[in-house]
Amino acid sequence: MFVFNTGDGTVSLIDPESDELVESRSLGLSSSFPSNQYTPTLTDDPDDSLWLNVGRGIRGLAVGSLSETTTVETGSGANWLEQTPDGRHVVVSAREPSHTQFRIDADRASETFGEVTAEIDRTPEGGRGGRDGPGPCDVTIHPDGEYAYVPDLFSDTLTVLSVDPFEIVTQIDVEPVGDGPARPWMGTVAPDGRTLLVEHNESNGGSESIWTLDDPAAPSQTARLTAEDGLGRRPLTSEIGPDSGIGYVFTPGSNDVTVVDLTNGTVTTRLDLGGSAFVGTWDPSRTKLYVPVQTSDEVAVIDHERREITERIGVGPSPYGATSAPVRPRSDPAAAITLTTARLGISTDRAETTYCIGNCACGHRL
């Protein structure tokens, strides 16, 4: 498990077998929303890349050495990304000011590895309140690899992309709950490809919509959950269990995780994190969900079968993003020294920032 600490630009490595901290290393960068949907099952070679949102673009790091493999500038400090199930592409949503979708070559054997192979400029669509574009915010990919889904924060739409050819297939208007805009901003497709969860940053504390993907090119909303249904406040991101029947919605407004029965469209329980958390990620076997709790400098471990928090692991300062891989980085004799200088603030190099929400002091520029 790779947990990125925004407080000092380090990464904490956790062994999912023992749920123990292996070590922390100074990377000089951090990532809030790394690719974690299919990457954990694709990175079985030390030279494969972890894909991160860093600075004003996307960064690849070799999983075995944590050395840089590629960098792609997007013209925005707010980026979300996912790798396709076949490992060939990384699809990116770059929000304002770019308002652009990118497709990047993720095949390290390819002559164009790390290059943008297609893009969609979405600024002509405009956005609510005279904005310069629709605000593509997050991206999640269907397990068949054919379609990607993008919630548009500034236009209240859900956009369906074809991955190859890279183009917009359809756009669906998303209705609000109560007064004000719907503000869809994050989403997650279930492993079986039948369900899509979408989080909404609405003024009433937020809502969660559930969509059927019986036709993957045309999602249809089947349920909408609010605080009246037991949903926690300000839903931000989500993960879906390996059986595709249970959703975990990270609700930092109430410092918990809302557990949702996707079949019935109901909230079953809330798990108290004891602090603010924005994302989570599965271990490679998809049996446990690891949740960085930013305000307590720890990772909460949720056992999927038991639906409860079973461990709390101390990591670095202000952990935010996380991803996983079946490969552990090789030992680095200099790692201890660089970690010490990073923790003491001695290093003269500032850690590269990442887009984040909340008490993070990430210093990003849109």
Side-chain angles (χ1 to χ4, degrees):
M1 308 302 300
F2 300 79
V3 179
F4 297 94
N5 306 304
T6 58
D8 60 4
T10 63
V11 60
S12 292
L13 307 179
I14 295 174
D15 184 344
E17 296 295 327
S18 63
D19 282 338
E20 294 181 348
L21 176 67
V22 175
E23 63 172 315
S24 293
R25 295 189 190 182
S26 176
L27 291 181
L29 58 82
S30 195
S31 181
S32 50
F33 299 97
S35 175
N36 71 342
Q37 188 172 10
Y38 301 109
T39 295
T41 62
L42 298 170
T43 51
D44 57 359
D45 185 299
D47 293 327
D48 288 337
S49 295
L50 298 175
W51 295 96
L52 318 178
N53 62 328
V54 178
R56 295 182 64 76
I58 304 304
R59 188 76 48 83
L61 297 184
V63 65
S65 63
L66 298 180
S67 59
E68 181 179 317
T69 60
T70 189
T71 296
V72 178
E73 294 293 320
T74 65
S76 174
N79 301 283
W80 292 265
L81 67 160
E82 282 297 354
Q83 191 171 10
T84 56
D86 61 7
R88 293 178 55 204
H89 309 288
V90 168
V91 179
V92 182
S93 287
R95 214 174 67 189
E96 78 275 23
S98 294
H99 301 281
T100 301
Q101 310 289 162
F102 293 91
R103 190 186 67 189
I104 300 169
D105 188 341
D107 180 1
R108 62 187 176 89
S110 170
E111 293 183 357
T112 57
F113 171 74
E115 297 181 11
V116 174
T117 55
E119 63 182 271
I120 304 170
D121 178 7
R122 300 188 57 194
T123 54
E125 299 173 35
R128 186 176 54 251
R131 292 181 181 269
D132 293 334
C137 193
D138 204 14
V139 58
T140 183
I141 301 174
H142 195 276
D144 68 8
E146 186 174 355
Y147 298 106
Y149 305 91
V150 177
D152 300 315
L153 182 63
F154 302 145
S155 65
D156 297 336
T157 52
L158 177 64
T159 296
V160 182
L161 304 177
S162 167
V163 175
D164 191 10
F166 197 55
E167 60 188 16
I168 294 175
V169 174
T170 189
Q171 288 182 315
I172 301 164
D173 291 331
V174 180
E175 297 299 323
V177 174
D179 298 330
R183 294 178 61 85
W185 61 347
M186 300 289 181
T188 305
V189 175
D192 66 1
R194 299 179 60 185
T195 307
L196 169 68
L197 280 177
V198 175
E199 290 76 51
H200 302 261
N201 185 28
E202 292 170 300
S203 59
N204 59 358
S207 67
E208 187 79 10
S209 56
I210 304 175
W211 302 69
T212 180
L213 298 178
D214 290 341
D215 179 353
S220 176
Q221 183 176 301
T222 59
R224 191 72 161 265
L225 301 174
T226 67
E228 294 182 357
D229 302 299
L231 182 73
R233 287 187 55 80
R234 206 183 181 202
L236 178 56
T237 64
S238 58
E239 295 292 333
I240 298 177
D243 52 9
S244 298
I246 298 295
Y248 297 85
V249 182
F250 305 103
T251 42
S254 51
N255 291 341
D256 58 18
V257 178
T258 301
V259 182
V260 178
D261 184 319
L262 299 182
T263 302
N264 299 324
T266 58
V267 172
T268 62
T269 190
R270 302 247 296 272
L271 303 177
D272 184 8
L273 293 172
S276 187
F278 305 91
V279 302
T281 195
W282 294 99
D283 65 319
S285 66
R286 295 184 70 88
T287 60
K288 292 181 289 186
L289 188 58
Y290 291 74
V291 185
V293 185
Q294 186 195 60
T295 51
S296 62
D297 299 345
E298 65 182 10
V299 171
V301 183
I302 299 174
D303 184 281
H304 172 63
E305 185 175 350
R306 295 162 61 180
R307 313 278 201 275
E308 62 183 44
I309 297 172
T310 56
E311 298 286 347
R312 293 182 183 270
I313 307 166
V315 288
S318 301
Y320 202 113
T323 190
S324 66
V327 177
R328 181 181 296 181
R330 295 184 293 272
S331 60
D332 180 0
I337 297 175
T338 56
L339 176 66
T340 299
T341 58
R343 292 276 161 90
L344 293 176
I346 297 174
S347 174
T348 57
D349 296 326
R350 291 188 61 186
E352 288 191 77
T353 58
T354 183
Y355 179 81
C356 46
I357 301 165
N359 181 25
C360 173
C362 54
H364 73 276
R365 292 183 299 114
L366 294 176

